[in-house]
């Protein structure tokens, strides 16, 4: 599979006509290790504009930079290994807290993860910025579940393998981590009702729009990914 091309569309609009005073960036990337494991990389970085803290300095000043790596089992979504590195920090004592994040091992990164992270590492029990990063990484793991299934279906399509019919239990497992995470995934709602009935919920709107822009058949998603 080809390496991803960076998205050319900026997340934020152009800066307003005000003095910039702080920028925080989160980035989380996920990789398929094998059919049973996902690797998550996450980073958070706080930057101060050039010349703000150090007068007449031409370079942006990084105040915080934390990196977290998680190895996660699939489809169980249990954390197999974890590391937290504080690469840039304001106090020399800061990095000592990194080892505590080994306590993530064995946790589910699906249901209840955000609450458990706050319980274990909130406030004086951890690093504020590393903990905030972890809370941003949890939803990415859920998105990876969809990606892993899409990769599997694409591989089957490309090899001509027969696509097995999903049992009701397999369908339930496939979206279990999404249940009650938002109004669309209300377990009593229309989306969940359709999936449980084995009905097609269609392609994500972004996929449909992209296929239309490329002049391709919007039914491609269903034929390849099911």
């Amino acid at each position: 599979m080809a390496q991803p091309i960076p998205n050319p569309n900026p997340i934020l609009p152009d800066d307003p006509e005000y003095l910039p005073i702080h920028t925080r960036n989160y980035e989380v990337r996920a990789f398929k290790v094998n059919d049973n494991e996902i690797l998550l990389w996450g980073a958070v970085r706080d930057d101060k504009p050039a010349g703000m803290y150090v007068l007449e300095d031409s370079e942006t000043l990084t105040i915080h930079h934390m990196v977290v790596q998680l190895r996660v089992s699939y489809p169980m979504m249990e954390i197999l290994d974890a590391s937290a590195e504080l690469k840039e920090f304001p106090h020399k004592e800061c990095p000592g807290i990194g080892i505590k994040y080994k306590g993530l091992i064995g946790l589910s990164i699906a249901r209840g993860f955000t609450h458990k992270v706050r319980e274990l590492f909130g406030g004086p029990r951890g690093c504020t910025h590393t903990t905030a990063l972890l809370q941003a990484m949890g939803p990415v793991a859920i998105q990876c579940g969809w990606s892993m299934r899409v990769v599997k279906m694409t591989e089957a399509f490309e090899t001509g393998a027969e696509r097995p019919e999903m049992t009701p239990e397999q369908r339930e497992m496939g979206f279990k981590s999404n249940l009650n995470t938002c109004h669309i995934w209300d377990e009593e709602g229309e989306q969940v009702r359709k999936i449980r009935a084995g009905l097609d919920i269609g392609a994500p709107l972004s996929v449909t729009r992209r296929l239309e822009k490329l002049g391709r058949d919007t039914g491609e998603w269903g034929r390849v990914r099911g």
Side-chain angles (χ1 to χ4, degrees), residues 6-130:
N7 192 326
N9 303 310
I11 293 177
L12 291 173
D14 292 339
D15 288 348
E17 295 299 319
Y18 301 120
L19 177 70
I21 57 175
H22 191 91
T23 298
R24 166 165 283 202
N25 283 304
Y26 289 95
E27 184 166 353
V28 183
R29 296 182 187 178
F31 306 89
K32 175 185 174 181
V33 178
N34 53 52
D35 286 347
N36 303 305
E37 189 175 328
I38 297 165
L39 172 65
L40 289 176
W41 281 355
V44 59
R45 192 176 71 194
D46 286 318
D47 293 329
K48 296 296 183 182
M52 173 174 281
Y53 276 29
V54 180
L55 296 179
E56 301 180 5
D57 187 4
S58 61
E59 294 186 7
T60 298
L61 184 68
T62 298
I63 300 295
H64 302 111
H65 182 192
M66 288 74 189
V67 177
V68 170
Q69 291 194 42
L70 302 175
R71 298 185 81 94
V72 181
S73 67
Y74 176 80
M76 298 308 294
M77 291 300 185
E78 180 179 300
I79 297 174
L80 304 173
D81 196 13
S83 67
E85 180 184 4
L86 282 70
K87 298 176 73 69
E88 193 66 61
F89 40 86
H91 311 290
K92 64 180 184 297
E93 297 86 0
C94 289
I97 198 67
I99 191 65
K100 187 169 183 181
Y101 287 88
K102 285 288 183 184
L104 291 161
I105 297 172
L107 296 183
S108 168
I109 201 170
R111 304 301 294 273
F113 180 67
T114 298
H115 174 77
K116 194 65 178 177
V117 165
R118 284 198 300 262
E119 179 184 303
L120 291 174
F121 310 111
R125 296 179 295 280
C127 162
T128 299
H129 315 292
T130 304

